[in-house]
Amino acid sequence: MHSFAHHRHRESAKETKGLILNGGWRYDLMVWFCDTFLFCGQVRQLRQRTATLARIQPGDAVLDVGCGTGTLAMEVARRVDRAGRVVGVDPGTEQIAHARSKAARRNLPIEFQIGVIEQLPFPDQTFDVVLSTLMMHHLPTSLKRQGLTEIARVLKPGGRLVIADFKHKKERTGQAARFHAGGSSMQDLAALIKEAGFSQVETEEMRPPRFSAFPGAGFVWAHKS
Ligand SMILES: C[S@@+](CC[C@H](N)C(=O)[O-])C[C@H]1O[C@@H](n2cnc3c(N)ncnc32)[C@H](O)[C@@H]1O
């Protein structure tokens, strides 16, 4: 599925043990194709639901970690309005370049930076909300732990975290069980989030519609104590 995946990309990309995707516009085309013809619009709905669960308010400072080509960040920018701040980080240089050009075309003041979850380039307590969609399954467990500690560091006290990800292969059924993608168990992810010091951890399942190849996804959301 990800022919443009690398563990490292040229000098300018950040080193990471995560799987960097670097497709830029090709990534968007692939997601559009899969979502339209195979997933019955579930990826689009997943991003909308992520923003809704975060209860984003005008004026919020929001970080999208593993932002890819910035589609969720653009949805969020409309919700925070001009008083807010939206930042996206991703190690993929072509993802970030394409995100910047999409935001510029839409005249949205989003800051896109090359960066990794394990070393977020922001001071402590910078953000009201941190989001991440379809990214955690690209990281080994040790990196997920490190990344969640970093997210807790950059969130303000009482700040909100929402993560959406594919379901773990073993949790899927039927056609979706055969579909590629590592996936994280939502229960394991929730446990890691608690371990990182978050409270009020909740989960929600997104079931694939009938006759869709969507592999199933889940949401975990929590507050920084
Ligand atoms: C499947 S894409 C999802 C992109 C976007 N969130 C979306 O919903 O379309 C996963 C993204 O995670 C990024 N990624 C991989 N390792 C990462 C890391 N260590 N820190 C942050 N992002 C990472 C990849 O480069 C890729 O753009």
Side-chain angles (χ1 to χ4, degrees), residues 47-164:
R47 292 192 182 120
Q48 299 277 338
R49 182 73 183 140
T50 302
T52 300
L53 285 171
R55 292 184 290 106
I56 290 163
Q57 307 294 319
D60 274 347
V62 182
L63 172 65
D64 181 8
V65 183
C67 64
T69 57
T71 308
L72 173 65
M74 281 166 227
E75 169 63 32
V76 169
R78 290 182 194 103
R79 298 189 187 207
V80 300
D81 218 343
R82 296 274 155 176
R85 177 185 181 199
V86 183
V87 183
V89 297
D90 197 288
T93 49
E94 287 185 34
Q95 303 284 75
I96 290 295
H98 191 55
R100 284 181 183 146
S101 79
K102 278 162 68 179
R105 274 203 306 276
R106 293 166 175 79
N107 197 25
L108 290 169
I110 307 172
E111 303 158 46
F112 287 108
Q113 300 189 26
I114 291 171
V116 288
I117 190 171
E118 58 267 41
Q119 200 179 6
L120 293 171
F122 309 103
D124 298 357
Q125 303 186 8
T126 302
F127 296 100
D128 300 290
V129 176
V130 175
L131 307 173
S132 170
T133 55
L134 307 180
M135 192 272 284
M136 293 302 269
H137 69 277
H138 288 310
L139 312 181
T141 304
S142 59
L143 198 53
K144 283 183 186 142
R145 277 207 177 88
Q146 220 179 324
L148 290 167
T149 304
E150 271 294 90
I151 289 173
R153 181 183 67 74
V154 301
L155 267 175
K156 296 176 187 171
R160 286 102 66 198
L161 165 65
V162 183
I163 293 177

Side-chain angles (χ1 to χ4, degrees), residues 2 5 7 13 25 54 115 128 142 162 166 176 196:
H2 300 316
H7 283 274
W25 66 267
D128 300 290
S142 59
V162 183
F166 289 128

